[in-house]
Amino acid sequence: MAEQKAAAGKSGPIAAPPGHPEAAPQPTARSADRFLNRELSSLDFNARVLALAEEVDAPVLERAKFLAIFASNLDEFHMVRVAGLKRQVEAGLVSKSADGLTPTEQLAAIAAKVEPLAQRHASLFIDDVMPELARAGIEIKRWEDLTEAQRDELNEVFTDELFPVLTPLAVDSGRPFPFISNLSLNLAVLVRDAEGGRIHFARVKVPPSLPRFVAFAEGRAYVPLEDLIAANLHQLFPGMDVVEHHTFRVTRNADLEINDGAADLMEALEEELSRKRFSPAVRLEVERNMPEHVLELLMSELELADADVTRLPGPLDLSGLWTLHALNRPDLKDPPFVPLTHPDLALTDEDMDVFELLHDRDVLVHHPYESFTTSVQRFVEQAAADPDVLAIKQTLYRTSGSPIVNALIEAAERGKQVVVLVELKARFDESANITWARTLEQAGCHVVYGLAGLKTHCKLCLVVRREGSELRRYVHVGTGNYNPITARLYEDIGLLTADEGLGSEVSHLFNFITGFSRKREYESLIVAPLGMRDRMIGMIEREIALSTAEQPGRIVMKLNNLGDPAIVDALYRASQRGVKVDLLVRSICVLRPGIKKLSKNIRVRSILGRFLEHSRIFYFQNGGDEEFYFGSPDMMQRNLDGRVEALATISSDDLKRQLRFLLELALSDNVSSWALDGDGTWTRRTPGDEPALEYQKQLMNEPAV
């Protein structure tokens, strides 16, 4: 490993993939041959997540965690992507995706891919993970498998803790079919008068506020919450015979449609959140044994077709496996990992001002290997407490609130000017961000909600400090959210600097967000939607122009998603002119690599592991005068056209060396990475005759930045 690291850290350009420059025309292949489908690529990413749950050598509660992540990802995919396609079909739209499919064709392709994935996911839990959990002393039992004594124990739990919070809802002429909330787990119950007569339908909602699995036998065994409720339905319907009961779950459209022109954006968003609770259903999950007459009733009331139904062996909603992962069983989890403090920050005296350190050098931190608390959080907290700091400007996209929000509140209470851009439209965090925005406003912060028609996704913090007779700017630019919780789970990088040029441009960008600044030209930053696509394509074209047979051009991009057709076509042109391109794409990739006369010189890799790869890094060889950029955007149309994004350049040779090492190490991973073929197939890489190298594990042992 030491030899590999030494080789990776050398000052030469990043090692290129094999191949030779070849002259070729511009990409002329039809769309279906140039692009993979965005939605199917997203499902392929979730399939790779599922593959992590299938690793038999992994600790069993980590396998359960990946089963939960897969379930949550699939929920979000239906709430947003499937819902959006259905909306297009209902509107009669026939516009095609980049790969040439209509919305109807995409929905059919999605259904064909989702079904086997969902069955594989359920079977993996029932046939593999559940038995392994049982062998480890964590038994998950269905009601029919319990002894009489175990049932008696759980029935007491029902009477004491469940019965008071349950509300059965009957359906008859005076009581219409009840609203089924998004992602709720429910029991469809058929009851009849004890004396006989007509059968009635009722719905019982499984309370989402209670644990998904109920513990008994002193915490050694668990039963799904819906099983316990089903076994006690007679208490909810006294005087009635319970004929049958079946579990089901509904997924609804959760993509908000916000009127950015509203007089009060927060009020408009709250109204939309309230209205969205009643949005159309897009998926119905049921247990396999549900009879047709019950299924037909649910489909009719929810206005769903057979293609929208997923029949599973049960239990449903395995996102609830997070309940088990939270158990205090360290023997069944990955060894605990404690981030280190960045060496430059660790060398400072505890009471020393971090701003004094930044006078001398920039600091590049790599989370979660290096602590967010002792770097970024420390930077904001010291700025809040420092009497010489006059102003703090901060973007918040997703945050857990404390301690970053607490520091901003403290700064405002100390009389500093605090400006916070809270992106209210951050999907699935809208309600939380409304709460944080109000809290900050009440503390005296100036809160801005963003620009009309755009989401503010850039990760920036600007501190203005009086030093003698001058004002000096300090900046943090990052790839991740200002969230200390996700900073322990997501892989991200961030730059702390006092560079005056970068500080000036970050100031201008904040003025663009909060005011009426019309500055469009930046040097240290690349800003979306102010020409980021053109700048990126320009750098790709420059690489083409500088590429020769003796010294081929070189591009490396590490990002979450690649889906912008113009960027993809530019990379195809680069490949055709002999430029060597490596893409490290965590999730969605619509580019087809390795195709003769189109993308022969492009390789695509995807790394999945304990941490969620989240940093975006862009490298251009530039004829030997290497350039590195990092920041918030993916190369997707939504990022380049619909969001405020920022990429910052790296000028320090030492920091360039650090980023070069990270990219080389990631490209060398042959344990936790997948390779994409031109037909859209992802294949797990294996060491073969080479030494095994696992990117994340290597960095856990010895951080590179």
Side-chain angles (χ1 to χ4, degrees):
M1 288 294 187
E3 293 178 357
Q4 291 166 335
K5 181 168 182 177
K10 63 186 179 181
S11 60
I14 295 174
H20 300 283
E22 53 182 291
Q26 301 282 330
T28 56
R30 62 192 180 96
S31 293
D33 295 328
R34 297 203 327 272
F35 302 112
L36 298 168
N37 182 266
R38 179 205 192 284
E39 317 303 348
L40 300 184
S41 183
S42 179
L43 290 174
D44 285 338
F45 163 68
N46 215 20
R48 298 196 294 280
V49 172
L50 187 57
L52 298 182
E54 292 173 328
E55 294 185 343
V56 295
D57 294 332
V60 65
L61 285 181
E62 299 302 327
R63 299 181 68 190
K65 175 189 74 176
F66 284 114
L67 287 174
I69 292 171
F70 174 94
S72 297
N73 287 350
L74 202 56
D75 287 343
E76 182 175 337
F77 181 80
H78 280 86
M79 287 189 288
V80 178
R81 305 307 307 178
V82 172
L85 289 169
K86 282 179 168 288
R87 195 163 59 241
Q88 291 181 42
V89 172
E90 291 165 3
L93 300 179
V94 293
S95 57
K96 295 184 177 182
S97 57
D99 60 316
L101 297 182
T102 67
T104 300
E105 290 170 335
Q106 290 186 78
L107 286 171
I110 287 169
K113 196 153 198 166
V114 164
E115 176 63 21
L117 279 176
Q119 299 302 330
R120 176 177 150 199
H121 175 247
S123 297
L124 178 62
F125 175 64
I126 294 170
D127 300 332
D128 192 345
V129 174
M130 266 182 63
E132 187 177 350
L133 284 168
R135 289 191 291 272
I138 303 174
E139 289 189 276
I140 301 173
K141 295 189 172 186
R142 303 308 297 264
W143 192 261
E144 58 270 20
D145 301 324
L146 301 179
T147 65
E148 196 64 34
Q150 290 171 332
R151 292 182 180 185
D152 290 342
E153 179 184 344
L154 285 170
N155 286 335
E156 288 186 19
V157 173
F158 177 87
T159 301
D160 296 340
E161 301 180 23
L162 276 177
F163 180 80
V165 301
L166 295 175
T167 304
L169 297 176
V171 176
D172 57 25
S173 58
R175 290 170 288 194
F177 190 87
F179 172 75
I180 310 297
S181 55
N182 185 35
L183 300 183
S184 64
L185 196 60
N186 305 269
L187 290 173
V189 185
L190 298 184
V191 297
R192 180 169 46 204
D193 292 331
E195 295 79 18
R198 184 179 176 185
I199 292 178
H200 302 278
F201 177 89
R203 172 263 193 151
V204 178
K205 181 177 180 178
V206 178
S209 58
L210 297 177
R212 179 71 184 81
F213 297 93
V214 182
F216 65 100
E218 297 181 347
R220 296 189 305 276
Y222 298 82
V223 68
L225 185 56
E226 65 271 22
D227 282 17
L228 178 54
I229 296 172
N232 286 273
L233 287 172
H234 60 280
Q235 294 193 50
L236 295 174
F237 300 97
M240 306 288 286
D241 288 333
V242 177
V243 179
E244 54 185 305
H245 58 81
H246 306 280
T247 310
F248 70 97
R249 186 169 182 260
V250 172
T251 309
R252 294 185 178 275
N253 177 359
D255 201 16
L256 299 177
E257 300 174 21
I258 306 299
N259 176 15
D260 281 301
D264 187 325
L265 181 59
M266 184 181 290
E267 182 179 312
L269 181 58
E270 287 180 313
E271 290 178 359
E272 176 66 6
L273 286 170
S274 177
R275 186 188 67 80
K276 212 63 180 179
R277 291 181 56 247
F278 303 96
S279 61
V282 297
R283 178 180 60 162
L284 172 63
E285 296 171 278
V286 302
E287 290 195 309
R288 281 179 185 165
N289 61 359
M290 178 177 283
E292 286 301 316
H293 63 276
V294 178
L295 180 58
E296 289 173 1
L297 171 64
L298 293 175
M299 290 169 58
S300 174
E301 293 291 346
L302 295 168
E303 299 182 339
L304 292 173
D306 190 65
D308 304 317
V309 178
T310 302
R311 299 166 176 83
L312 297 168
L316 305 181
D317 187 18
L318 294 184
S319 64
L321 287 172
W322 283 111
T323 300
L324 298 183
H325 187 266
L327 293 175
N328 185 23
R329 289 294 303 270
D331 56 313
L332 304 180
K333 301 179 186 179
D334 288 331
F337 174 70
V338 179
L340 301 175
T341 294
H342 188 285
D344 287 345
L345 296 169
L347 290 174
T348 63
D349 184 87
E350 186 64 30
D351 297 325
M352 181 181 178
D353 204 327
V354 68
F355 303 117
E356 186 173 335
L357 169 68
L358 297 180
H359 282 184
D360 300 328
R361 56 189 177 275
D362 296 343
V363 176
L364 190 68
V365 288
H366 193 198
H367 314 303
Y369 311 105
E370 291 167 326
S371 170
F372 178 89
T373 302
T374 59
S375 57
V376 181
Q377 182 179 320
R378 179 181 181 186
F379 173 70
V380 178
E381 289 176 340
Q382 286 200 6
D386 190 330
D388 292 324
V389 168
L390 304 180
I392 303 174
K393 299 184 180 184
Q394 175 99 46
T395 61
L396 293 179
Y397 192 75
R398 303 186 196 276
T399 180
S400 64
S402 178
I404 295 293
V405 168
N406 288 346
L408 296 173
I409 290 172
E410 178 190 347
E413 291 174 344
R414 287 174 177 263
K416 305 179 193 303
Q417 178 172 298
V418 180
V419 179
V420 188
L421 187 290
V422 180
E423 182 46 74
L424 297 182
K425 296 169 287 185
R427 182 177 290 139
F428 303 126
D429 279 339
E430 298 94 347
S431 295
N433 284 2
I434 287 173
T435 300
W436 293 126
R438 288 201 168 117
T439 300
L440 288 162
E441 282 181 327
Q442 290 167 3
C445 300
H446 301 289
V447 179
V448 181
Y449 306 143
L451 293 165
L454 298 172
K455 286 185 179 180
T456 302
H457 189 247
C458 52
K459 322 299 182 185
L460 301 171
C461 180
L462 172 69
V463 173
V464 181
R465 189 171 188 259
R466 183 177 296 283
E467 298 180 358
S469 60
E470 298 180 348
L471 296 183
R472 188 158 188 172
R473 299 180 181 96
Y474 297 86
V475 172
H476 172 263
V477 182
T479 65
N481 299 305
Y482 292 98
N483 187 324
I485 296 175
T486 58
R488 295 194 293 269
L489 304 173
Y490 290 13
E491 178 271 340
D492 276 301
I493 61 171
L495 175 69
L496 292 164
T497 180
D499 181 84
E500 183 56 34
L502 182 58
S504 175
E505 294 200 347
V506 170
S507 288
H508 281 295
L509 182 52
F510 269 109
N511 290 341
F512 168 72
I513 295 170
T514 64
F516 290 104
S517 170
R518 291 294 182 263
K519 180 178 173 63
R520 302 186 66 87
E521 300 297 327
Y522 294 84
E523 294 182 7
S524 298
L525 291 176
I526 303 176
V527 177
L530 305 178
M532 181 176 286
R533 180 186 286 104
D534 290 342
R535 286 279 301 273
M536 294 299 293
I537 291 175
M539 288 188 287
I540 295 171
E541 297 290 353
R542 181 188 63 188
E543 207 64 29
I544 294 172
L546 294 173
S547 181
T548 66
E550 294 74 24
Q551 187 177 3
R554 187 83 178 95
I555 297 171
V556 183
M557 295 184 178
K558 181 181 183 297
L559 62 173
N560 295 342
N561 303 296
L562 173 63
D564 184 74
I567 299 291
V568 170
D569 276 340
L571 292 172
Y572 284 151
R573 291 194 297 273
S575 173
Q576 292 169 338
R577 295 295 297 273
V579 177
K580 310 303 180 185
V581 180
D582 266 315
L583 303 173
L584 289 156
V585 186
R586 186 194 75 208
S587 304
I588 297 168
C589 181
V590 304
L591 180 147
R592 294 181 180 270
I595 296 177
K596 189 176 181 181
K597 296 184 178 181
L598 180 68
S599 56
K600 178 181 178 181
N601 292 306
I602 302 178
R603 299 186 302 188
V604 179
R605 300 286 187 264
S606 179
I607 295 175
L608 276 75
R610 176 170 178 171
F611 307 120
L612 184 78
E613 293 294 317
H614 194 252
S615 66
R616 290 87 162 184
I617 307 171
F618 301 84
Y619 165 84
F620 298 91
Q621 184 174 279
N622 190 29
D625 185 15
E626 297 176 312
E627 290 185 350
F628 288 85
Y629 297 86
F630 75 98
S632 59
D634 287 313
M635 293 296 104
M636 302 284 282
Q637 289 173 291
R638 69 185 183 192
N639 299 89
L640 300 176
D641 298 326
R643 296 184 177 185
V644 179
E645 304 274 15
L647 285 170
T649 185
I650 293 290
S651 56
S652 161
D653 288 339
D654 183 56
L655 300 190
K656 287 182 178 181
R657 178 194 60 77
Q658 294 176 38
L659 289 181
R660 186 186 303 115
F661 167 74
L662 286 179
L663 293 177
E664 289 176 341
L665 188 68
L667 290 169
S668 301
D669 187 300
N670 54 17
V671 175
S672 59
S673 66
W674 277 255
L676 177 64
D677 293 333
D679 64 357
T681 301
W682 290 92
T683 304
R684 185 77 174 261
R685 298 183 69 196
T686 55
D689 296 331
E690 301 175 348
L693 193 153
E694 189 170 356
Y695 168 73
Q696 293 189 358
K697 186 172 292 186
Q698 171 91 348
L699 291 174
M700 289 173 67
N701 293 331
E702 190 174 0
V705 173

